[in-house]
């Protein structure tokens, strides 16, 4: 899960916290756009990010593990859909 989250973060040029906190509700796979709401953005403004083909593939991969909850995180933490990956999960080892 960490590797997919890291790849998604790189492909979208997002901050790691934005990617780790992303939910299914924020993503429109039909138009391939991820809309990060203003309250989750450092600048306080909504941000629309076009998703590459590979980013959409990643969402398909992690979607297999998701339930039908639109508020569920894309990249599940150890406690399931209600907890995101930790910030340490995307850091490189010392």
């Amino acid at each position: 899960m960490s590797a997919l989250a890291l790849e998604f973060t790189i492909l979208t040029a997002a901050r790691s916290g934005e990617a780790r906190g992303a939910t299914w509700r924020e993503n429109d796979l039909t138009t391939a756009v991820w809309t990060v709401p203003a309250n989750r953005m450092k600048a306080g403004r909504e941000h629309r990010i076009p998703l590459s083909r590979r980013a959409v593939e990643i969402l398909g991969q992690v979607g297999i593990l998701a339930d039908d909850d639109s508020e569920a995180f894309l990249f599940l933490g150890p406690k399931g859909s209600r907890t995101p990956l930790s910030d340490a999960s995307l850091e490189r080892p010392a």
Side-chain angles (χ1 to χ4, degrees):
M1 190 62 70
S2 295
L4 291 172
L6 180 59
E7 185 179 1
F8 184 83
T9 302
I10 292 167
L11 290 169
T12 58
R15 294 178 182 272
S16 62
E18 293 161 2
R20 287 184 305 99
T23 65
W24 288 103
R25 178 183 299 256
E26 296 172 356
N27 286 273
D28 184 343
L29 299 181
T30 305
T31 60
V33 174
W34 171 27
T35 304
V36 185
N39 65 337
R40 290 202 326 103
M41 291 296 299
K42 182 176 179 179
R45 292 188 329 224
E46 179 181 276
H47 187 64
R48 294 175 49 87
I49 302 166
L51 298 173
S52 67
R53 183 176 302 131
R54 176 61 186 146
V56 172
E57 288 174 6
I58 290 169
L59 295 182
Q61 286 180 277
V62 299
I64 293 169
L65 303 173
D67 52 25
D68 290 334
D69 183 2
S70 66
E71 295 301 320
F73 292 104
L74 299 179
F75 303 103
L76 305 178
K79 294 181 182 171
S81 65
R82 291 291 172 194
T83 60
L85 284 175
S86 73
D87 56 351
S89 66
L90 299 186
E91 293 181 2
R92 65 182 176 144

Short mmCIF file of all heavy atoms in Angstrom, two decimals, residues 23-84:
data_model
loop_
_atom_site.label_atom_id
_atom_site.label_comp_id
_atom_site.label_asym_id
_atom_site.label_seq_id
_atom_site.Cartn_x
_atom_site.Cartn_y
_atom_site.Cartn_z
N THR A 23 -9.72 10.67 -0.27
CA THR A 23 -10.86 9.76 -0.14
C THR A 23 -11.45 9.48 -1.51
O THR A 23 -11.16 10.18 -2.49
CB THR A 23 -11.96 10.36 0.75
OG1 THR A 23 -12.49 11.53 0.12
CG2 THR A 23 -11.44 10.71 2.14
N TRP A 24 -12.28 8.46 -1.57
CA TRP A 24 -12.92 8.10 -2.84
C TRP A 24 -13.83 9.21 -3.33
O TRP A 24 -13.96 9.44 -4.52
CB TRP A 24 -13.67 6.78 -2.70
CG TRP A 24 -12.70 5.65 -2.61
CD1 TRP A 24 -12.33 4.95 -1.49
CD2 TRP A 24 -11.90 5.12 -3.68
NE1 TRP A 24 -11.37 4.02 -1.81
CE2 TRP A 24 -11.10 4.10 -3.15
CE3 TRP A 24 -11.80 5.42 -5.05
CZ2 TRP A 24 -10.20 3.37 -3.92
CZ3 TRP A 24 -10.92 4.68 -5.82
CH2 TRP A 24 -10.13 3.69 -5.25
N ARG A 25 -14.48 9.92 -2.41
CA ARG A 25 -15.38 11.01 -2.80
C ARG A 25 -14.65 12.09 -3.60
O ARG A 25 -15.25 12.74 -4.45
CB ARG A 25 -16.01 11.62 -1.55
CG ARG A 25 -16.94 12.79 -1.86
CD ARG A 25 -17.47 13.39 -0.59
NE ARG A 25 -18.23 12.41 0.16
CZ ARG A 25 -19.55 12.34 0.24
NH1 ARG A 25 -20.28 13.23 -0.38
NH2 ARG A 25 -20.15 11.40 0.93
N GLU A 26 -13.39 12.29 -3.33
CA GLU A 26 -12.61 13.35 -4.00
C GLU A 26 -12.23 12.99 -5.44
O GLU A 26 -11.79 13.86 -6.19
CB GLU A 26 -11.33 13.64 -3.20
CG GLU A 26 -11.59 14.19 -1.83
CD GLU A 26 -10.32 14.29 -1.00
OE1 GLU A 26 -9.23 13.88 -1.46
OE2 GLU A 26 -10.42 14.80 0.13
N ASN A 27 -12.36 11.75 -5.81
CA ASN A 27 -11.88 11.30 -7.12
C ASN A 27 -13.03 10.98 -8.06
O ASN A 27 -13.98 10.30 -7.69
CB ASN A 27 -11.01 10.05 -6.94
CG ASN A 27 -9.67 10.42 -6.36
OD1 ASN A 27 -8.77 10.75 -7.11
ND2 ASN A 27 -9.55 10.38 -5.04
N ASP A 28 -12.90 11.49 -9.28
CA ASP A 28 -13.87 11.19 -10.33
C ASP A 28 -13.13 10.40 -11.39
O ASP A 28 -12.36 10.96 -12.18
CB ASP A 28 -14.44 12.48 -10.90
CG ASP A 28 -15.52 12.24 -11.94
OD1 ASP A 28 -15.61 11.10 -12.47
OD2 ASP A 28 -16.25 13.19 -12.24
N LEU A 29 -13.33 9.11 -11.39
CA LEU A 29 -12.60 8.26 -12.33
C LEU A 29 -13.14 8.40 -13.75
O LEU A 29 -12.43 8.09 -14.71
CB LEU A 29 -12.64 6.80 -11.87
CG LEU A 29 -11.99 6.55 -10.51
CD1 LEU A 29 -12.07 5.08 -10.14
CD2 LEU A 29 -10.56 7.04 -10.49
N THR A 30 -14.36 8.88 -13.91
CA THR A 30 -14.93 9.10 -15.24
C THR A 30 -14.18 10.19 -15.97
O THR A 30 -13.85 10.07 -17.16
CB THR A 30 -16.42 9.46 -15.14
OG1 THR A 30 -17.09 8.45 -14.40
CG2 THR A 30 -17.05 9.60 -16.51
N THR A 31 -13.89 11.29 -15.27
CA THR A 31 -13.16 12.41 -15.88
C THR A 31 -11.67 12.39 -15.55
O THR A 31 -10.93 13.24 -16.03
CB THR A 31 -13.75 13.76 -15.41
OG1 THR A 31 -13.63 13.85 -13.99
CG2 THR A 31 -15.20 13.90 -15.83
N ALA A 32 -11.26 11.44 -14.73
CA ALA A 32 -9.87 11.30 -14.29
C ALA A 32 -9.36 12.59 -13.64
O ALA A 32 -8.32 13.14 -14.01
CB ALA A 32 -8.97 10.88 -15.45
N VAL A 33 -10.12 13.07 -12.65
CA VAL A 33 -9.74 14.27 -11.91
C VAL A 33 -9.89 14.01 -10.42
O VAL A 33 -10.90 13.46 -9.97
CB VAL A 33 -10.61 15.48 -12.32
CG1 VAL A 33 -10.31 16.70 -11.44
CG2 VAL A 33 -10.38 15.83 -13.78
N TRP A 34 -8.87 14.42 -9.69
CA TRP A 34 -8.90 14.36 -8.23
C TRP A 34 -9.09 15.79 -7.74
O TRP A 34 -8.30 16.67 -8.07
CB TRP A 34 -7.59 13.77 -7.72
CG TRP A 34 -7.35 13.82 -6.24
CD1 TRP A 34 -8.28 13.84 -5.25
CD2 TRP A 34 -6.08 13.85 -5.60
NE1 TRP A 34 -7.67 13.87 -4.02
CE2 TRP A 34 -6.31 13.88 -4.20
CE3 TRP A 34 -4.77 13.85 -6.05
CZ2 TRP A 34 -5.28 13.91 -3.28
CZ3 TRP A 34 -3.75 13.88 -5.13
CH2 TRP A 34 -4.00 13.90 -3.75
N THR A 35 -10.13 16.04 -6.98
CA THR A 35 -10.41 17.37 -6.45
C THR A 35 -10.15 17.36 -4.95
O THR A 35 -10.91 16.74 -4.19
CB THR A 35 -11.86 17.80 -6.75
OG1 THR A 35 -12.07 17.73 -8.15
CG2 THR A 35 -12.11 19.22 -6.27
N VAL A 36 -9.10 18.05 -4.55
CA VAL A 36 -8.76 18.14 -3.13
C VAL A 36 -9.50 19.37 -2.58
O VAL A 36 -9.32 20.48 -3.07
CB VAL A 36 -7.24 18.30 -2.92
CG1 VAL A 36 -6.91 18.28 -1.43
CG2 VAL A 36 -6.47 17.22 -3.66
N PRO A 37 -10.35 19.18 -1.57
CA PRO A 37 -11.11 20.31 -1.03
C PRO A 37 -10.21 21.33 -0.34
O PRO A 37 -9.12 21.01 0.14
CB PRO A 37 -12.08 19.67 -0.04
CG PRO A 37 -11.56 18.30 0.22
CD PRO A 37 -10.66 17.92 -0.90
N ALA A 38 -10.69 22.56 -0.31
CA ALA A 38 -9.92 23.67 0.24
C ALA A 38 -9.46 23.41 1.68
O ALA A 38 -8.33 23.77 2.04
CB ALA A 38 -10.75 24.95 0.19
N ASN A 39 -10.29 22.76 2.48
CA ASN A 39 -9.92 22.54 3.89
C ASN A 39 -8.77 21.57 4.07
O ASN A 39 -8.21 21.46 5.15
CB ASN A 39 -11.14 22.10 4.71
CG ASN A 39 -11.67 20.74 4.29
OD1 ASN A 39 -11.45 20.29 3.17
ND2 ASN A 39 -12.40 20.10 5.18
N ARG A 40 -8.39 20.85 2.99
CA ARG A 40 -7.24 19.94 3.08
C ARG A 40 -6.01 20.50 2.38
O ARG A 40 -4.97 19.86 2.37
CB ARG A 40 -7.60 18.58 2.49
CG ARG A 40 -8.60 17.83 3.33
CD ARG A 40 -8.62 16.33 3.13
NE ARG A 40 -8.35 15.81 1.82
CZ ARG A 40 -7.17 15.26 1.44
NH1 ARG A 40 -6.17 15.18 2.29
NH2 ARG A 40 -7.03 14.79 0.23
N MET A 41 -6.13 21.68 1.80
CA MET A 41 -5.01 22.27 1.06
C MET A 41 -4.28 23.30 1.92
O MET A 41 -4.92 24.08 2.64
CB MET A 41 -5.51 22.96 -0.22
CG MET A 41 -6.03 22.01 -1.27
SD MET A 41 -4.76 20.91 -1.91
CE MET A 41 -3.60 22.06 -2.60
N LYS A 42 -2.97 23.34 1.80
CA LYS A 42 -2.17 24.30 2.55
C LYS A 42 -2.57 25.73 2.20
O LYS A 42 -2.65 26.60 3.06
CB LYS A 42 -0.69 24.07 2.25
CG LYS A 42 0.24 24.98 3.03
CD LYS A 42 1.68 24.64 2.76
CE LYS A 42 2.59 25.57 3.52
NZ LYS A 42 4.00 25.23 3.31
N ALA A 43 -2.85 25.99 0.92
CA ALA A 43 -3.23 27.33 0.46
C ALA A 43 -4.69 27.67 0.78
O ALA A 43 -5.10 28.81 0.59
CB ALA A 43 -2.98 27.46 -1.03
N GLY A 44 -5.47 26.69 1.21
CA GLY A 44 -6.86 26.94 1.55
C GLY A 44 -7.78 27.09 0.36
O GLY A 44 -8.88 27.63 0.49
N ARG A 45 -7.35 26.65 -0.81
CA ARG A 45 -8.18 26.71 -2.03
C ARG A 45 -8.31 25.31 -2.62
O ARG A 45 -7.35 24.53 -2.60
CB ARG A 45 -7.52 27.61 -3.08
CG ARG A 45 -7.48 29.07 -2.71
CD ARG A 45 -7.01 29.93 -3.87
NE ARG A 45 -6.08 29.20 -4.73
CZ ARG A 45 -4.95 29.69 -5.21
NH1 ARG A 45 -4.60 30.92 -4.92
NH2 ARG A 45 -4.17 28.98 -5.97
N GLU A 46 -9.50 25.03 -3.16
CA GLU A 46 -9.72 23.75 -3.82
C GLU A 46 -8.70 23.56 -4.93
O GLU A 46 -8.32 24.51 -5.62
CB GLU A 46 -11.13 23.73 -4.42
CG GLU A 46 -11.45 22.44 -5.15
CD GLU A 46 -12.83 22.47 -5.74
OE1 GLU A 46 -13.79 22.15 -5.00
OE2 GLU A 46 -12.96 22.81 -6.92
N HIS A 47 -8.24 22.33 -5.09
CA HIS A 47 -7.21 22.03 -6.09
C HIS A 47 -7.67 20.84 -6.92
O HIS A 47 -7.99 19.79 -6.38
CB HIS A 47 -5.89 21.72 -5.38
CG HIS A 47 -4.73 21.56 -6.29
ND1 HIS A 47 -4.25 22.59 -7.07
CD2 HIS A 47 -3.94 20.50 -6.54
CE1 HIS A 47 -3.20 22.14 -7.76
NE2 HIS A 47 -3.01 20.87 -7.47
N ARG A 48 -7.71 21.02 -8.24
CA ARG A 48 -8.11 19.95 -9.16
C ARG A 48 -6.86 19.41 -9.84
O ARG A 48 -6.12 20.15 -10.46
CB ARG A 48 -9.11 20.47 -10.17
CG ARG A 48 -10.43 20.88 -9.50
CD ARG A 48 -11.41 21.53 -10.45
NE ARG A 48 -11.63 20.80 -11.68
CZ ARG A 48 -12.51 19.83 -11.86
NH1 ARG A 48 -13.28 19.47 -10.85
NH2 ARG A 48 -12.65 19.23 -13.02
N ILE A 49 -6.68 18.09 -9.73
CA ILE A 49 -5.49 17.45 -10.26
C ILE A 49 -5.90 16.42 -11.31
O ILE A 49 -6.63 15.48 -11.00
CB ILE A 49 -4.72 16.74 -9.12
CG1 ILE A 49 -4.34 17.74 -8.04
CG2 ILE A 49 -3.49 16.02 -9.67
CD1 ILE A 49 -3.90 17.12 -6.75
N PRO A 50 -5.44 16.62 -12.56
CA PRO A 50 -5.75 15.60 -13.58
C PRO A 50 -4.97 14.32 -13.27
O PRO A 50 -3.82 14.36 -12.85
CB PRO A 50 -5.27 16.23 -14.88
CG PRO A 50 -4.36 17.33 -14.49
CD PRO A 50 -4.68 17.72 -13.09
N LEU A 51 -5.63 13.19 -13.46
CA LEU A 51 -5.00 11.91 -13.16
C LEU A 51 -4.50 11.25 -14.43
O LEU A 51 -5.25 11.12 -15.41
CB LEU A 51 -6.02 10.99 -12.46
CG LEU A 51 -6.55 11.49 -11.13
CD1 LEU A 51 -7.66 10.57 -10.63
CD2 LEU A 51 -5.44 11.59 -10.10
N SER A 52 -3.26 10.85 -14.41
CA SER A 52 -2.69 10.13 -15.55
C SER A 52 -3.29 8.73 -15.62
O SER A 52 -3.94 8.26 -14.67
CB SER A 52 -1.17 10.02 -15.38
OG SER A 52 -0.87 9.19 -14.27
N ARG A 53 -3.05 8.07 -16.72
CA ARG A 53 -3.55 6.70 -16.88
C ARG A 53 -3.03 5.81 -15.74
O ARG A 53 -3.76 5.02 -15.17
CB ARG A 53 -3.12 6.14 -18.23
CG ARG A 53 -3.68 4.74 -18.49
CD ARG A 53 -3.34 4.21 -19.87
NE ARG A 53 -3.82 5.11 -20.90
CZ ARG A 53 -3.08 5.56 -21.92
NH1 ARG A 53 -1.84 5.19 -22.05
NH2 ARG A 53 -3.59 6.37 -22.82
N ARG A 54 -1.75 5.95 -15.41
CA ARG A 54 -1.18 5.13 -14.34
C ARG A 54 -1.79 5.46 -12.98
O ARG A 54 -2.03 4.56 -12.17
CB ARG A 54 0.35 5.29 -14.30
CG ARG A 54 1.01 4.55 -13.17
CD ARG A 54 0.79 3.04 -13.24
NE ARG A 54 1.33 2.39 -12.05
CZ ARG A 54 0.81 1.33 -11.47
NH1 ARG A 54 -0.26 0.74 -11.99
NH2 ARG A 54 1.34 0.82 -10.40
N ALA A 55 -2.08 6.74 -12.71
CA ALA A 55 -2.70 7.11 -11.44
C ALA A 55 -4.08 6.46 -11.32
O ALA A 55 -4.45 5.96 -10.25
CB ALA A 55 -2.81 8.62 -11.31
N VAL A 56 -4.83 6.43 -12.43
CA VAL A 56 -6.14 5.78 -12.42
C VAL A 56 -5.99 4.27 -12.21
O VAL A 56 -6.76 3.65 -11.49
CB VAL A 56 -6.92 6.10 -13.72
CG1 VAL A 56 -8.19 5.27 -13.82
CG2 VAL A 56 -7.24 7.59 -13.79
N GLU A 57 -4.95 3.69 -12.80
CA GLU A 57 -4.67 2.26 -12.59
C GLU A 57 -4.41 1.97 -11.12
O GLU A 57 -4.87 0.96 -10.57
CB GLU A 57 -3.47 1.81 -13.42
CG GLU A 57 -3.74 1.71 -14.90
CD GLU A 57 -2.46 1.40 -15.69
OE1 GLU A 57 -1.39 1.15 -15.08
OE2 GLU A 57 -2.54 1.42 -16.92
N ILE A 58 -3.65 2.85 -10.47
CA ILE A 58 -3.35 2.68 -9.05
C ILE A 58 -4.65 2.71 -8.25
O ILE A 58 -4.86 1.88 -7.36
CB ILE A 58 -2.36 3.76 -8.55
CG1 ILE A 58 -0.98 3.51 -9.15
CG2 ILE A 58 -2.31 3.81 -7.02
CD1 ILE A 58 0.00 4.64 -8.94
N LEU A 59 -5.54 3.64 -8.59
CA LEU A 59 -6.82 3.70 -7.88
C LEU A 59 -7.62 2.43 -8.10
O LEU A 59 -8.31 1.96 -7.19
CB LEU A 59 -7.61 4.94 -8.32
CG LEU A 59 -6.98 6.27 -7.95
CD1 LEU A 59 -7.87 7.42 -8.38
CD2 LEU A 59 -6.66 6.35 -6.48
N GLY A 60 -7.51 1.86 -9.29
CA GLY A 60 -8.17 0.58 -9.55
C GLY A 60 -7.59 -0.53 -8.68
O GLY A 60 -8.33 -1.37 -8.16
N GLN A 61 -6.28 -0.50 -8.49
CA GLN A 61 -5.63 -1.52 -7.66
C GLN A 61 -6.05 -1.39 -6.20
O GLN A 61 -6.36 -2.39 -5.56
CB GLN A 61 -4.11 -1.41 -7.76
CG GLN A 61 -3.55 -1.92 -9.07
CD GLN A 61 -2.05 -1.77 -9.10
OE1 GLN A 61 -1.54 -0.71 -9.41
NE2 GLN A 61 -1.36 -2.84 -8.76
N VAL A 62 -6.04 -0.19 -5.67
CA VAL A 62 -6.40 -0.03 -4.26
C VAL A 62 -7.91 -0.12 -4.07
O VAL A 62 -8.37 -0.44 -2.97
CB VAL A 62 -5.84 1.28 -3.64
CG1 VAL A 62 -4.33 1.29 -3.69
CG2 VAL A 62 -6.41 2.52 -4.30
N GLY A 63 -8.67 0.09 -5.12
CA GLY A 63 -10.13 0.00 -5.04
C GLY A 63 -10.61 -1.40 -4.75
O GLY A 63 -11.69 -1.60 -4.20
N ILE A 64 -9.81 -2.37 -5.12
CA ILE A 64 -10.16 -3.77 -4.84
C ILE A 64 -10.30 -3.98 -3.33
O ILE A 64 -11.12 -4.78 -2.88
CB ILE A 64 -9.10 -4.72 -5.43
CG1 ILE A 64 -9.15 -4.64 -6.96
CG2 ILE A 64 -9.28 -6.15 -4.94
CD1 ILE A 64 -7.98 -5.32 -7.65
N LEU A 65 -9.53 -3.25 -2.55
CA LEU A 65 -9.55 -3.40 -1.10
C LEU A 65 -10.57 -2.50 -0.42
O LEU A 65 -10.81 -2.64 0.77
CB LEU A 65 -8.15 -3.07 -0.54
CG LEU A 65 -7.00 -3.91 -1.09
CD1 LEU A 65 -5.69 -3.37 -0.58
CD2 LEU A 65 -7.18 -5.36 -0.73
N ALA A 66 -11.15 -1.57 -1.18
CA ALA A 66 -12.06 -0.59 -0.59
C ALA A 66 -13.46 -1.16 -0.42
O ALA A 66 -13.88 -2.06 -1.13
CB ALA A 66 -12.12 0.65 -1.47
N ASP A 67 -14.18 -0.56 0.53
CA ASP A 67 -15.59 -0.90 0.65
C ASP A 67 -16.40 0.17 -0.11
O ASP A 67 -15.83 0.97 -0.82
CB ASP A 67 -16.01 -1.01 2.12
CG ASP A 67 -15.64 0.21 2.94
OD1 ASP A 67 -15.50 1.30 2.36
OD2 ASP A 67 -15.50 0.08 4.16
N ASP A 68 -17.68 0.20 0.06
CA ASP A 68 -18.52 1.14 -0.68
C ASP A 68 -18.62 2.51 -0.02
O ASP A 68 -19.47 3.30 -0.41
CB ASP A 68 -19.93 0.56 -0.87
CG ASP A 68 -19.93 -0.61 -1.83
OD1 ASP A 68 -19.04 -0.67 -2.69
OD2 ASP A 68 -20.82 -1.46 -1.71
N ASP A 69 -17.80 2.80 0.93
CA ASP A 69 -17.84 4.06 1.67
C ASP A 69 -17.08 5.13 0.90
O ASP A 69 -15.87 5.04 0.73
CB ASP A 69 -17.22 3.84 3.05
CG ASP A 69 -17.28 5.06 3.93
OD1 ASP A 69 -17.83 6.10 3.51
OD2 ASP A 69 -16.76 4.98 5.06
N SER A 70 -17.78 6.18 0.44
CA SER A 70 -17.11 7.24 -0.32
C SER A 70 -16.18 8.08 0.54
O SER A 70 -15.33 8.79 0.01
CB SER A 70 -18.15 8.15 -0.99
OG SER A 70 -18.89 8.86 -0.02
N GLU A 71 -16.33 7.99 1.85
CA GLU A 71 -15.43 8.72 2.76
C GLU A 71 -14.20 7.90 3.12
O GLU A 71 -13.32 8.39 3.83
CB GLU A 71 -16.18 9.11 4.04
CG GLU A 71 -17.30 10.11 3.80
CD GLU A 71 -16.82 11.42 3.18
OE1 GLU A 71 -15.74 11.91 3.56
OE2 GLU A 71 -17.52 11.93 2.31
N ALA A 72 -14.13 6.68 2.64
CA ALA A 72 -12.98 5.82 2.94
C ALA A 72 -11.73 6.39 2.28
O ALA A 72 -11.78 6.99 1.20
CB ALA A 72 -13.23 4.40 2.43
N PHE A 73 -10.61 6.20 2.94
CA PHE A 73 -9.34 6.65 2.38
C PHE A 73 -8.94 5.76 1.21
O PHE A 73 -9.23 4.56 1.19
CB PHE A 73 -8.25 6.62 3.45
CG PHE A 73 -8.47 7.64 4.53
CD1 PHE A 73 -8.94 7.26 5.77
CD2 PHE A 73 -8.22 8.98 4.30
CE1 PHE A 73 -9.15 8.19 6.77
CE2 PHE A 73 -8.43 9.93 5.28
CZ PHE A 73 -8.91 9.54 6.52
N LEU A 74 -8.25 6.34 0.24
CA LEU A 74 -7.75 5.56 -0.89
C LEU A 74 -6.71 4.56 -0.43
O LEU A 74 -6.71 3.41 -0.83
CB LEU A 74 -7.11 6.47 -1.94
CG LEU A 74 -7.97 7.54 -2.60
CD1 LEU A 74 -7.12 8.33 -3.58
CD2 LEU A 74 -9.15 6.91 -3.29
N PHE A 75 -5.78 5.05 0.37
CA PHE A 75 -4.65 4.25 0.80
C PHE A 75 -4.85 3.90 2.27
O PHE A 75 -4.64 4.70 3.16
CB PHE A 75 -3.34 5.01 0.56
CG PHE A 75 -3.19 5.41 -0.89
CD1 PHE A 75 -3.43 6.71 -1.29
CD2 PHE A 75 -2.87 4.46 -1.84
CE1 PHE A 75 -3.32 7.07 -2.62
CE2 PHE A 75 -2.77 4.80 -3.18
CZ PHE A 75 -2.99 6.11 -3.57
N LEU A 76 -5.31 2.68 2.48
CA LEU A 76 -5.75 2.26 3.80
C LEU A 76 -4.61 2.09 4.78
O LEU A 76 -3.56 1.54 4.45
CB LEU A 76 -6.50 0.92 3.68
CG LEU A 76 -7.67 0.90 2.71
CD1 LEU A 76 -8.27 -0.49 2.67
CD2 LEU A 76 -8.71 1.93 3.09
N GLY A 77 -4.86 2.55 5.99
CA GLY A 77 -3.93 2.33 7.08
C GLY A 77 -4.17 0.96 7.68
O GLY A 77 -5.02 0.20 7.23
N PRO A 78 -3.45 0.64 8.73
CA PRO A 78 -3.56 -0.69 9.33
C PRO A 78 -4.92 -0.99 9.95
O PRO A 78 -5.27 -2.14 10.16
CB PRO A 78 -2.46 -0.70 10.39
CG PRO A 78 -2.18 0.72 10.69
CD PRO A 78 -2.48 1.47 9.41
N LYS A 79 -5.71 0.05 10.21
CA LYS A 79 -7.03 -0.17 10.84
C LYS A 79 -8.16 -0.09 9.81
O LYS A 79 -9.31 0.07 10.17
CB LYS A 79 -7.25 0.84 11.94
CG LYS A 79 -6.28 0.64 13.09
CD LYS A 79 -6.52 1.61 14.20
CE LYS A 79 -5.48 1.37 15.28
NZ LYS A 79 -5.49 2.38 16.30
N GLY A 80 -7.83 -0.16 8.52
CA GLY A 80 -8.86 -0.19 7.49
C GLY A 80 -9.23 1.16 6.92
O GLY A 80 -8.44 2.10 6.97
N SER A 81 -10.44 1.26 6.40
CA SER A 81 -10.87 2.41 5.62
C SER A 81 -11.02 3.70 6.42
O SER A 81 -11.13 4.77 5.84
CB SER A 81 -12.18 2.10 4.91
OG SER A 81 -13.21 1.91 5.85
N ARG A 82 -11.03 3.62 7.72
CA ARG A 82 -11.22 4.82 8.55
C ARG A 82 -9.91 5.44 9.02
O ARG A 82 -9.93 6.45 9.72
CB ARG A 82 -12.10 4.49 9.75
CG ARG A 82 -13.52 4.23 9.36
CD ARG A 82 -14.14 5.50 8.89
NE ARG A 82 -15.46 5.26 8.32
CZ ARG A 82 -16.10 6.14 7.61
NH1 ARG A 82 -15.56 7.29 7.35
NH2 ARG A 82 -17.27 5.87 7.12
N THR A 83 -8.79 4.86 8.66
CA THR A 83 -7.50 5.44 9.03
C THR A 83 -6.59 5.50 7.80
O THR A 83 -6.50 4.53 7.06
CB THR A 83 -6.78 4.64 10.13
OG1 THR A 83 -6.56 3.32 9.66
CG2 THR A 83 -7.59 4.60 11.41
N PRO A 84 -5.95 6.64 7.58
CA PRO A 84 -5.03 6.73 6.44
C PRO A 84 -3.68 6.11 6.80
O PRO A 84 -3.42 5.79 7.97
CB PRO A 84 -4.88 8.23 6.24
CG PRO A 84 -5.04 8.81 7.61
CD PRO A 84 -6.06 7.90 8.31
#
